[in-house]
Amino acid sequence: MKPSSFPKSIGSVTLSVVMTLLLLTSCSASRLDMGSLLSGAGKAVQAMTISDSQIQSYVHQYVAYSDQKNKVAPADSKYAQRLARLTSGLKSVDGVPLNFKVYMTDEINAFACADGSVRVYSGLMDRMTDDEVLGVIGHEIGHVAHKDTKNAFKNSLLTSALLDGVASTGSTAAALTNSQLGKLGESLVNAKFSQKQESNADDYGYDFLKSNGKNPWSMAMAFQKLGQLENSASSNGLQQMFSSHPSTTKRISHIAERCRKEGIQPPAGCTLK
């Protein structure tokens, strides 16, 4: 789900990657001389050496901007209290501290960022049981654990109009304006995780539910509900959210097959076979 990969080290940077970045940052120019090409290549290579600490700083800026632009459920609301109860034992993933908030909107979505920020939409909570919500959260945390979110953010950052600013700051993170953060957000929304990344996150969510004493059938049930809503989704973000995912039917079948192999019985009310 939204708010996708990128070379792990500068040693793996190839000429084709650099040229791709050059095309992305200079496609509006009708003519380019060799000097501008070399300058652009230098900026691209410099930007691709961006450190994890810089990425975390940019992510923090983006999350703060996102929280400011959305209506966040107050701590005493039923949504915030429910989410706090569901996530009370979830402190960190791979050393990254987790923090949770609810966005008050009828949209059906949830996302996690590389800094451990997890945001759940009230529209999703309205349609899910506690265990189903937790399954979706597990899936999103899976993207953090697998570094999908960090790579997605880095990729969006470096292929956006912010490339020059990122490259020029050297070893420090630039302070991005609200306009820049808004453009970055658009880039992130349009970015997509691969189907393999989504499938791996599904498996993480399955194991996440089991490790927290929950029935992993709940994840398949959550997918079933999302699938039922998918065809009628015109403005709640579901169509875009599902555009890069494996088919809902396959996801349900995969989770159900794992449950059956492990002899896990479906909970009361489960209509899956």
Side-chain angles (χ1 to χ4, degrees), residues 39 69 105 225 231 235:
S39 174
K69 296 297 290 184
T105 171
K225 286 184 179 179
N231 292 334
S235 62

Side-chain angles (χ1 to χ4, degrees), residues 102-197:
V102 179
Y103 284 171
M104 297 302 298
T105 171
D106 194 48
E107 291 185 22
I108 305 167
N109 210 344
F111 67 89
C113 289
D115 67 339
S117 296
V118 181
R119 301 296 180 259
V120 183
Y121 292 21
S122 59
L124 183 140
M125 296 182 74
D126 285 338
R127 294 164 174 85
M128 300 279 176
T129 66
D130 285 356
D131 287 0
E132 289 166 357
V133 171
L134 202 56
V136 172
I137 290 173
H139 171 96
E140 298 304 323
I141 292 177
H143 284 307
V144 176
H146 297 151
K147 307 297 189 292
D148 298 337
T149 52
K150 185 183 79 172
N151 291 333
F153 193 95
K154 185 174 183 177
N155 197 37
S156 294
L157 189 69
L158 299 185
T159 57
S160 72
L162 304 178
L163 177 63
D164 280 355
V166 171
S168 66
T169 58
S171 61
T172 61
L176 303 181
T177 66
N178 283 351
S179 175
Q180 289 173 319
L181 289 167
K183 291 178 181 177
L184 179 58
E186 290 177 8
S187 179
L188 282 169
V189 167
N190 292 326
K192 293 177 173 65
F193 292 125
S194 70
Q195 291 198 7
K196 182 177 180 180
Q197 287 173 317

Side-chain angles (χ1 to χ4, degrees), residues 37 66 72 77 139 178 198 272:
L37 277 172
S66 180
V72 176
S77 74
H139 171 96
N178 283 351
E198 293 292 359
L272 297 171

Side-chain angles (χ1 to χ4, degrees), residues 34 43 48 60 63 85 90 103 110-111 117 125 170 201 204 235 246 256-257:
M34 185 58 67
K43 288 179 180 178
M48 283 191 287
H60 282 313
V63 171
R85 174 173 53 80
L90 307 179
Y103 284 171
F111 67 89
S117 296
M125 296 182 74
Y204 186 98
S235 62
E257 182 180 1

